[in-house]
Each structure stands twice: as structure tokens, then as C-alpha cells.
Amino acid sequence: MTRVLLIGNGAREHAIAEAIVRSEQKPRLYSFMKTKNPGIASVSEVVCIGRYDDPAGVVAFARKAGIDFAVVGPEEPLGHGVVDALATAGISAVGPTRSLARLETSKSFTRNLLKKYDIPGNPHFRNFRSPEGIEAFLDELDGIVLKPDGLTDGKGVMVEGDHFQTRKEALALCLDILKSHPGVTVEEKLEGEEFSLQCFCDGRTVAATPPVQDHKRRFTGDRGPNTGGMGSYSAADHLLPFLDADAVAEGLAITRKVAEAIRRETGVPYKGVMYGGFMITRSGVKLIEYNARLGDPEAMNILPLLRTDFLDICRAVIDGSLDSLKIVFEKKATVCKYVVPRGYGLPQDHPEAVSTSSRIEIGETPGAKLYYSSIDQRPDGLYMTTSRAMGVVGVADSLAEAERIAEAAVGAIRGPVDHRPDIGTEPLLRKRVQHMKELKAEKRSTGGETCGKTTSDGF
Ligand code: AMP
Ligand code: GLY
């Protein structure tokens, strides 16, 4: 009997938990969570509530439970070295060591790696550890993006037009970032459509899962502040309406080169998930960032489609035998919509910002999959806490049908909730396709790129 430890407490981990317990090998699931997720708890043998910055606490639980291997969901425990601590205790994990998790935790590490190994996909960029030279570099860029070095809980990236408007403001922000972070990456603002390509990696072989598009903005029509992700979709042909097979192959080729570069650079094989956040631009596929874990919500799109036993994938990642495992995903479309408290994502001082928990009731949700996130189960029912509450997923032959299933299920969740009704709908998909068409047409009419600078300096 295989005993699997799952670390994490979100909807992504609820989907991972489901993929684990679905295995025909009938594993026993042991869960380590920051706060109790009733969905994960309901399929777990034993639950331990602890801190993600306490790898020793995870190891103690794993030892006591006699765990065979661990699966790490979120970035926080990776950044605190949970995989290293488990390895010292002789327990393997699906997830990179703390040093290799720099792929996500250090924007400068990743940008420099691509540059050093001549891997395509970097925008024009420079890393700074001091204010010297920042002002001159800002003048070289048409549009600016600032990225603090270090884990920022997904809230650290600042984009011109959204978070600041002028060069002067960008400079002031850089100086501010340098007060609290070891460095800041300043880079060219890219324009295009984003997609997530989540891959399993055993150190040598990189296996892709279907591409997904997330929706970060809080409100319909891509308006409002950025969030952890309000929902996502994937298409039955394992492409996206604005993304062809060549572009997916370009993203995968970059990830394969990065896996190889990490091995050459550190001497350590990367074992875990390499989630490439890419953007297809007028000049091809560019890398926005890597995450060292599955995406949330994107995990909820791909895991329900998985036909290969998830335990076999975990073992292949750990043993380095991914090359001999065929990973199969059902050819179906998925639409995930996050149900959130109405005030989610609003500034703290906004009168409708969420501050208290509210009760919700779930009616009939035929055909939909529900993954709990920030949900508290109390004797009198389910309560939302302050973050994203529940991922609702429709899986069907077409995007239209998957969207209909997800939307109907969201409608059956009663309480002070909100969601994005536009995710996965025809008008929004058409807008994405049109955006790409316009960018490509612009490229043809200008005879090339507007942002073709390719030189960049490391530290
Ligand atoms: P987050 O997930 O909060 O770290 O935000 C990352 C988001 O910032 C991405 O999803 C993009 O929308 C945006 N972003 C990051 N880098 C760039 C870039 N070079 N050009 C344009 N947008 C970017
Ligand atoms: N969906 C974005 C993330 O998981 O970081």
C-alpha cells in the first residue's frame, strides 16, 4: 500500500488529492495543510495542520506516517526547503529542492539562466542589486515591467499602465523594492496573449500537459486588479483558440532547454513541475515566468483529463523514467471558474472589501467538479474565508458545453459570492483570437518588431 504525502491546502491541491486517490493502486493519502481544506480532508487518511515554513514539522509527520513519497502543491514550502528536508530523511518528493525552486522564487536566476545558455524567450531585461544604472536602462524601454527578486505571493510584479504610469514612478518603485528585496529585474513589457504550459520533469525528460489560459483580472472583460486567477480554460484539441501547435512546441522547446540548463548549471536534476507562463507575441513565444509547481487554477483544468495513473507519473518523476511513460489526457475541453467572496480582490480600504467569513450553500451541480479552496467547514455548514472559495470545473467535448456546465454549477452556489461569467465564453475567446490577429497584422505592416532589442546584462 503506497502512502502519499500531499502538502498544500488550496483548490489546486484538492484536484491533486483527487488525482492521487483515483489511482487504481489505492494509495493512502496523508495531507499536510496550513489550514484545513474540507475537500482534501474528506479523501485523506490523516490530516496534519502545520506551517509551510517549518520543514521539520513536515518531516516529523511524514516519518510518523511512513510516507513513500511526497507531492508538494504550493511554492511556499518549496521556497522553505521542504524537499531538501524530506530528502535528508530519505523521502523523495515531486517538487524541486529549494535551490532549484529559484526557477520561480528568483526572477533574476531564471532570466540569467536563459541568457547564459542562449535559450530563446527572454524579453530585453536587466537585473539590478543597487540603484546604479536603473534610470538609464528605464530610458531604453518602450514599456516597463518590474519584478522584485524573491517570493512575493504572486503580487510582486508591477506593470506599466497598471501599477504605475511614468518612468519617474518606475524609478521610485525600483528604489523602494531594493529596500526590501535583494534585487529587482527590470524588463521590457511584452504584448500578446498569455498561456500556461505545465510540464512534468524528471531531470532529463520534460512531458507537457495541455496548454491552459488563466484570467488574472478580477472582473468581467479583464478589468480590475490582478488576482491569483479567476478561472481558466483548455480546449479539446489541446491547443487554444489563439494558439497553434507550433507555438505550443516553441514553449515546450524552451522548457526542455531550461531543464537541461538547470542540470548543467547546478549538477542537480529538476524533479517536479515546470510551469512556463508564456506569452505569444508578434515575434513568437516569450517567457513571462516559471513556476515550480502546478498552477492554481490551471491544475484543475488538466488533472481531471488525466488518463494515466497520477501515481505512475509521480514515480517516474522521482525515478527519472518519464521517457518510458506515456502520459495521456482525454481530448476534452475544460472551463474552470473560481467562486469568490464578493469583496475579493478589492483594496483593503474599499467599503466592500472582504473582512468577515460568510456562509454559502451548494445546490445541485450536475456534471461539474467542485474543488474547495478557502472554505471552512463548521457544524452549521460551509463558510468562505477571505480568499478564492471554490473552483468549479466543467469538462465536455466542446468549450461551449464545458462553460455551460461550469456556469450552471456556479449558479447553484448561494451566498455573497461572485465569479467571472465571461471566462470560456465565445465573445471572450473571439477577443483573444482577434487580439493575436491584430498583433500579427501590425508586425506585417511595420515590417518587423517594435521591441527587438536582444542584448541584456546579468549582474
Ligand atoms: P503575477 O502572476 O502576479 O506574478 O503576475 C505576473 C503577470 O505580470 C503576468 O501574468 C503578466 O500578465 C504580467 N507580466 C509579467 N512580465 C511581463 C512582461 N515582461 N510583459 C508583460 N506583462 C508581464
Ligand atoms: N495561475 C497562476 C499561478 O498559479 O501562479
Side-chain angles (χ1 to χ4, degrees):
M1 171 89 58
T2 306
R3 291 162 188 248
V4 183
L5 168 65
L6 174 63
I7 301 163
N9 60 287
R12 164 186 47 211
E13 287 77 26
H14 190 183
I16 296 173
E18 188 196 76
I20 292 170
V21 299
R22 207 167 64 210
S23 166
E24 286 183 355
Q25 299 164 42
K26 306 255 178 294
R28 285 192 179 177
L29 181 63
Y30 294 76
S31 301
F32 187 97
M33 304 187 235
K34 191 161 66 175
T35 54
K36 187 170 168 182
N37 177 320
I40 299 173
S42 71
V43 292
S44 299
E45 203 81 18
V46 183
V47 165
C48 176
I49 305 296
R51 291 190 353 229
Y52 294 157
D53 63 357
D54 175 27
V58 177
V59 169
F61 176 57
R63 275 215 169 109
K64 196 165 165 215
I67 290 302
D68 292 293
F69 64 82
V71 180
V72 189
E75 62 276 27
E76 200 186 333
L78 294 171
H80 286 292
V82 73
V83 172
D84 311 60
L86 286 166
T88 305
I91 301 167
S92 306
V94 178
T97 59
R98 183 177 181 188
S99 170
L100 299 196
R102 279 181 297 164
L103 192 65
E104 170 164 0
T105 59
S106 171
K107 306 298 178 200
S108 62
F109 171 79
T110 303
R111 289 280 178 236
N112 286 338
L113 192 75
L114 264 79
K115 182 176 172 239
K116 180 171 174 186
Y117 289 86
D118 213 10
I119 301 169
N122 262 346
H124 190 42
F125 81 100
R126 260 186 78 176
N127 301 312
F128 294 94
R129 285 192 188 277
S130 76
E132 205 183 320
I134 295 183
E135 197 168 0
F137 186 66
L138 289 172
D139 283 337
E140 284 182 37
L141 301 175
D142 291 331
I144 299 163
V145 175
L146 309 176
K147 299 184 173 182
D149 232 19
L151 263 189
T152 53
D153 213 8
K155 295 180 183 77
V157 174
M158 282 178 268
V159 180
E160 185 173 337
D162 286 343
H163 304 91
F164 60 91
Q165 307 300 330
T166 65
R167 238 150 264 264
K168 205 169 144 204
E169 283 175 68
L171 181 62
L173 283 170
C174 286
L175 301 183
D176 221 38
I177 291 169
L178 284 173
K179 283 185 200 146
S180 49
H181 295 80
V184 59
T185 300
V186 179
E187 63 186 42
E188 159 201 354
K189 181 179 172 184
L190 300 165
E191 204 193 333
E193 282 295 329
E194 288 180 55
F195 65 99
S196 310
L197 190 61
Q198 304 167 89
C199 297
F200 295 107
C201 179
D202 67 1
R204 282 182 190 279
T205 302
V206 174
T209 72
V212 178
Q213 188 172 44
D214 185 17
H215 298 70
K216 285 202 187 297
R217 298 299 192 121
R218 170 66 178 81
F219 298 114
T220 298
D222 293 325
R223 288 175 301 108
N226 266 341
T227 65
M230 289 296 293
S232 46
Y233 66 90
S234 71
D237 58 4
H238 296 175
L239 302 173
L240 291 169
F242 58 86
L243 193 73
D244 63 17
D246 288 346
V248 176
E250 235 180 290
L252 179 56
I254 291 172
T255 301
R256 290 199 162 124
K257 289 192 175 109
V258 170
E260 163 79 16
I262 289 176
R263 200 158 43 83
R264 282 170 54 194
E265 183 68 14
T266 65
V268 183
Y270 186 105
K271 291 179 182 290
V273 174
M274 296 175 74
Y275 156 161
F278 292 105
M279 189 183 275
I280 171 138
T281 70
R282 52 170 82 77
S283 50
V285 172
K286 301 281 180 191
L287 177 71
I288 296 285
E289 63 183 359
Y290 272 108
N291 292 320
R293 50 168 175 83
L294 287 171
D296 189 350
E298 294 96 321
M300 290 182 274
N301 297 94
I302 59 144
L303 292 175
L305 298 181
L306 193 57
R307 286 299 148 260
T308 308
D309 194 317
F310 186 66
L311 252 60
D312 290 343
I313 298 178
C314 294
R315 286 207 191 85
V317 165
I318 289 165
D319 302 345
S321 59
L322 261 185
D323 60 339
S324 53
L325 184 70
K326 190 168 159 51
I327 302 182
V328 179
F329 291 91
E330 232 178 316
K331 288 263 180 182
K332 287 199 186 276
T334 65
V335 173
C336 174
K337 302 204 184 208
Y338 249 121
V339 171
V340 302
R342 256 179 224 152
Y344 170 68
L346 297 176
Q348 295 278 300
D349 55 357
H350 192 285
E352 280 169 33
V354 249
S355 56
T356 54
S357 55
S358 316
R359 190 164 158 196
I360 54 169
E361 280 183 29
I362 306 174
E364 291 292 307
T365 57
K369 292 177 174 296
L370 303 190
Y371 298 109
Y372 289 177
S373 186
S374 293
I375 290 276
D376 192 12
Q377 189 157 32
R378 300 186 195 166
D380 62 336
L382 294 177
Y383 282 77
M384 296 186 289
T385 55
T386 53
S387 197
R388 295 178 294 181
M390 196 180 292
V392 176
V393 181
V395 178
D397 289 332
S398 68
L399 268 167
E401 181 59 10
E403 198 274 334
R404 194 198 58 73
I405 293 169
E407 194 60 32
V410 167
I413 299 172
R414 285 179 292 277
V417 293
D418 197 11
H419 75 292
R420 272 189 58 172
D422 59 340
I423 292 171
T425 59
E426 180 65 26
L428 194 58
L429 299 179
R430 236 185 294 125
K431 194 172 132 190
R432 308 277 188 240
V433 173
Q434 187 58 26
H435 183 207
M436 271 330 294
K437 268 195 190 141
E438 281 164 15
L439 282 181
K440 285 181 179 161
E442 248 176 63
K443 181 186 174 188
R444 274 195 297 276
S445 68
T446 57
E449 301 173 32
T450 55
C451 48
K453 296 160 190 150
T454 50
T455 55
S456 50
D457 298 329
F459 286 130

